Amino acid sequence: RLRVLELSTGTGECMQDCEKGFFRDAPNDLRCIQCAEFCAVCDSLHTCTECVEGASLHRGFCYLVPNTVAQDQIDFETYLQSGSGANVDFADAPSWELFAGSR
């Protein structure tokens, strides 16, 4: 397998293959290095080309796809009352007409 080092000329170095999930870092180094987490096929720790099942590839890295979805929904007022948002007094809040502009 050729690892291209110079794109303009297509030159590089011959690399012995490792089994899937591993790569070689240099032609004279016979060790196989494991790919990054969730990566099934790679050329280096920073260049994944295929992910394991349940992961998604983005710019050379694999990210685990969540397998759960939030089922509970809350309305905006309940969210604010939970302390997650600012305390809002709806009676003292500006009118929507002020935000939308007069028509």
Side-chain angles (χ1 to χ4, degrees):
R1 178 175 70 114
L2 177 68
R3 178 167 66 173
V4 177
L5 297 175
E6 182 58 51
L7 291 175
S8 62
T9 62
T11 59
E13 56 191 3
C14 291
M15 305 285 287
Q16 292 181 3
D17 283 332
C18 293
E19 62 184 75
K20 191 173 180 176
F22 294 84
F23 69 96
R24 287 203 197 289
D25 201 30
N28 59 349
D29 186 354
L30 299 180
R31 296 177 295 166
C32 289
I33 302 168
Q34 188 172 7
C35 296
E37 188 174 23
F38 310 121
C39 181
V41 178
C42 66
D43 293 329
S44 74
L45 278 177
H46 307 291
T47 312
C48 189
T49 56
E50 183 182 326
C51 301
V52 298
E53 187 174 333
S56 178
L57 182 65
H58 180 70
R59 296 185 177 183
F61 291 95
C62 292
Y63 299 92
L64 192 60
V65 177
N67 60 3
T68 59
V69 178
Q71 298 295 325
D72 297 331
Q73 297 179 2
I74 61 170
D75 60 64
F76 184 64
E77 190 169 337
T78 304
Y79 168 76
L80 291 175
Q81 290 173 354
S82 73
S84 297
N87 292 329
V88 174
D89 180 2
F90 288 104
D92 191 35
S95 68
W96 285 109
E97 290 82 19
L98 179 64
F99 289 116
S102 58
R103 294 182 178 214

